[in-house]
């Protein structure tokens, strides 16, 4: 297709509208609707991989739109009442199909590329870690829009009805929804007996990806290969339906999509831990003495090193030989609902942890001490506040010699509740002989680090308050 034909087709097709709708709705969603894509280390403008994954997650509704617009484009000849005239011309059907699909494919791919470019410009100014691992995620996303539109065109040509575009768009939306709910999830139970669900192989047939919950997680290479095979099969079937002129040819046109599905299911991993994997390069530790962070957060090391060393010094003075000797960002990625795993010798922290994220300057030292004493045992990806916060407040007060509020204890009503619970425990602990204080602190740390028992109960001598 030359540029002159492309310009003509763009003027007489819905392709520009499809691209404009994809770009405008995506930007409106990302900028105007508050959500997890605005929060923490997985903000869509902070790091390359989360940016690509958040944009891919928008395909939950963008892909059905592309299918619907493609079906509308596929009805053009039928609306013009000229199919018989076109079939009587000597021009091959595949040339007419290419002229029909080309503008829509170019426009949708360009809209998706512009969306990625908007995110990339912001990411460049927010991170010092640059890599190309995000590129396959974005390329497969652009391919999914093109494949969906071509499939819609073929279906629109095969079923020339005004109801075809909305029916196909709704069907595609139901497909993506089911891939992220019943069809694409497997019920399972964690080691702690907590019921949860995990994505299965079928869920990867959806062009969208699940919500980004960890900055170190990316898609594996086998996922990219399997999804590419599936999407190419969809596009080939759509193109074959555009050129098919007989019922037999239309039936044979389904072969590519079936072959693509079989090949994809053979290539796609069945283990959830091989679908969403840790980016080893991003997780590699960068250290300043005993304080380490993941490479993806290397620009934060300078601000963390000083408070980290001070926290270790204070812990050494309070706990003696039982004190941790290093501070390290927690790079372990556990499945949803799993019990966290902690270390006695290393202070493990997460930049998304409430008290770490809220800490500034000297507050960061207190926050790291709190994580060293009572790191928290809420199951992964669960939100809970309560008795661990009470224990953290008392433990930090014991190390520093005075009771103060921890960073992140907002709003004021929650701060008052923490103070009301922790102050009596602090006064009781302070009144005990030093050896008894240390005994209770060690019992609290034992319960907190093993996630067995209640740390605040242990701090109170084993009696629930």
């Amino acid at each position: 297709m030359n540029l002159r034909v492309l310009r003509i087709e763009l003027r007489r097709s819905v392709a520009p509208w499809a691209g404009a709708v994809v770009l405008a709705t995506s930007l409106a969603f990302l900028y105007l609707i508050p959500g997890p894509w605005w929060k923490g280390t997985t903000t869509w403008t902070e790091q390359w991989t989360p940016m690509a994954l958040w944009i891919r997650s928008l395909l939950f509704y963008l892909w059905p739109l592309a299918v619907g617009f493609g079906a509308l484009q596929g009805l053009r000849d039928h609306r013009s009442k000229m199919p018989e005239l076109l079939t009587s011309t000597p021009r091959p059907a595949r040339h007419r199909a290419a002229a029909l699909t080309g503008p829509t494919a170019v426009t949708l791919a360009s809209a998706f590329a512009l969306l990625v470019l908007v995110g990339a410009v912001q990411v460049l100014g927010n991170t010092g870690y640059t890599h190309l691992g995000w590129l396959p995620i974005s390329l497969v996303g652009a391919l999914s829009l093109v494949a969906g539109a071509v499939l819609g065109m073929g279906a629109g040509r095969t079923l020339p009805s005004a109801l075809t575009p909305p029916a196909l768009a709704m069907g595609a939306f139901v497909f993506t929804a089911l891939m992220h709910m019943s069809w694409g999830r497997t019920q399972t139970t964690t080691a702690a007996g907590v019921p949860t669900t995990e994505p299965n192989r079928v869920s990867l047939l959806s062009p969208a990806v699940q919500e980004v919950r960890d900055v170190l997680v990316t898609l594996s290479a086998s996922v990219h290969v399997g999804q590419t095979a599936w999407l190419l099969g969809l596009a080939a079937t759509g193109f074959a339906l555009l050129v098919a002129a007989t019922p037999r040819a239309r039936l044979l046109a389904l072969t590519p999509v079936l072959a693509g599905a079989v090949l994809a299911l053979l290539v796609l991993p069945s283990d959830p831990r091989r679908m969403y994997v840790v980016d080893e390069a991003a997780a590699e530790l960068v250290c300043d003495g005993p304080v380490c962070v993941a490479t993806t957060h290397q620009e934060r090391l300078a601000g963390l090193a000083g408070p980290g060393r001070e926290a270790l010094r204070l812990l050494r003075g309070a706990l003696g030989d039982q004190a941790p000797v290093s501070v390290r960002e927690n790079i372990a990625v556990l499945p949803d609902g799993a019990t966290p795993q902690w270390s006695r010798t290393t202070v493990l922290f997460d930049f998304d942890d409430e008290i770490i994220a809220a800490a500034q300057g000297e507050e960061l030292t207190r926050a790291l001490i709190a994580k060293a004493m009572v790191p928290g045992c809420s199951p992964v990806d669960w939100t809970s506040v309560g008795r661990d916060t009470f224990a953290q407040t008392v433990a930090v007060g014991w190390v520093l010699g005075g009771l103060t509020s921890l960073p992140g204890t907002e709003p004021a009503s929650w701060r008052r509740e923490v103070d009301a619970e922790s102050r009596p425990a602090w006064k009781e602990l302070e009144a005990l002989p030093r050896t008894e204080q240390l005994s209770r602190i060690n019992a609290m740390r034992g319960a907190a680090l093993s996630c067995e028992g209640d740390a605040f109960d242990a701090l109170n001598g084993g009696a629930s308050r």
Side-chain angles (χ1 to χ4, degrees), residues 86-460:
L86 291 174
T87 54
S88 65
T89 62
R91 188 181 185 188
R94 63 180 181 276
H95 289 181
R96 295 196 303 272
L100 185 66
T101 58
T104 302
V106 169
T107 305
L108 287 174
S110 299
F112 194 84
L114 284 174
L115 182 59
V116 173
L117 181 62
V118 170
V121 169
Q122 296 173 89
V123 171
L124 275 173
N126 290 328
T127 183
Y129 175 58
T130 303
H131 62 99
L132 295 178
W134 59 275
L135 194 56
I137 301 172
S138 298
L139 290 175
V140 174
L143 176 61
S144 68
L145 286 178
V146 173
V150 175
L151 180 67
M153 289 179 204
R157 175 69 64 84
T158 304
L159 303 170
S161 167
L163 298 177
T164 299
L168 281 178
M170 182 56 66
F173 180 76
V174 170
F175 173 78
T176 58
L178 290 175
M179 287 296 101
H180 289 266
M181 293 188 296
S182 56
W183 288 0
R185 309 291 296 186
T186 300
Q187 190 77 26
T188 186
T189 303
T190 67
V194 179
T196 185
T197 61
E198 292 181 336
N200 58 34
R201 180 186 292 154
V202 178
S203 70
L204 297 175
L205 296 180
S206 170
V209 296
Q210 68 179 18
E211 183 177 294
V212 185
R213 68 173 182 85
D214 196 296
V215 70
L216 299 177
V217 169
T218 187
L219 291 172
S220 65
S222 57
V223 171
H224 299 318
V225 173
Q227 289 181 332
T228 299
W230 162 242
L231 293 170
L232 289 176
L234 286 177
T237 287
F239 193 85
L241 288 173
L242 278 174
V243 301
T246 64
R248 183 173 180 273
R250 294 188 183 102
L251 190 61
L252 288 175
L254 300 178
T255 303
V257 70
L258 296 176
V262 171
L263 181 59
L265 292 175
L266 290 174
V267 173
L268 292 171
S270 58
D271 185 350
R273 283 160 289 282
R274 291 175 54 228
M275 300 174 189
Y276 295 88
V277 298
V278 174
D279 184 338
E280 298 294 341
E284 186 176 350
L285 292 176
V286 178
C287 300
D288 183 345
V291 182
C292 302
V293 298
T295 299
T296 192
H297 291 141
Q298 58 190 1
E299 70 279 357
R300 299 195 183 194
L301 181 58
L304 183 72
R309 289 194 185 92
E310 179 65 10
L312 291 175
R313 184 187 69 81
L314 292 168
L315 288 165
R316 177 74 178 181
L319 297 174
D321 294 339
Q322 299 297 315
V325 296
S326 62
V327 175
R328 192 186 77 199
E329 181 180 358
N330 191 1
I331 59 173
V333 178
L334 301 176
D336 290 354
T339 301
Q341 299 174 1
W342 306 115
S343 169
R344 284 186 174 274
T345 59
T346 301
V347 181
L348 296 174
F349 72 93
D350 192 316
F351 283 112
D352 284 329
D353 185 274
E354 288 186 357
I355 63 172
I356 298 292
Q360 299 290 335
E362 293 182 358
E363 291 182 338
L364 192 52
T365 298
R366 286 191 284 134
L368 290 171
I369 292 173
K371 296 302 293 181
M373 302 295 278
V374 185
C377 289
S378 297
V380 174
D381 210 32
W382 287 30
T383 300
S384 97
V385 293
R387 298 176 68 81
D388 278 351
T389 306
F390 307 152
Q392 285 175 334
T393 303
V394 176
V396 173
W398 181 79
V399 172
L400 298 179
L403 195 67
T404 56
S405 297
L406 292 177
T409 50
E410 301 290 342
S413 59
W414 171 238
R415 191 185 307 117
R416 287 193 296 269
E417 183 179 346
V418 172
D419 185 72
E421 291 287 340
S422 59
R423 189 165 296 278
W426 157 254
K427 290 180 178 179
E428 180 182 331
L429 181 67
E430 192 179 33
L432 296 173
R434 180 67 183 180
T435 54
E436 180 62 21
Q437 291 181 22
L438 191 58
S439 175
R440 290 199 180 188
I441 288 293
N442 286 333
M444 177 203 70
R445 288 194 73 215
L449 294 172
S450 66
C451 290
E452 295 178 0
D454 188 292
F456 196 49
D457 282 349
L459 184 63
N460 289 316

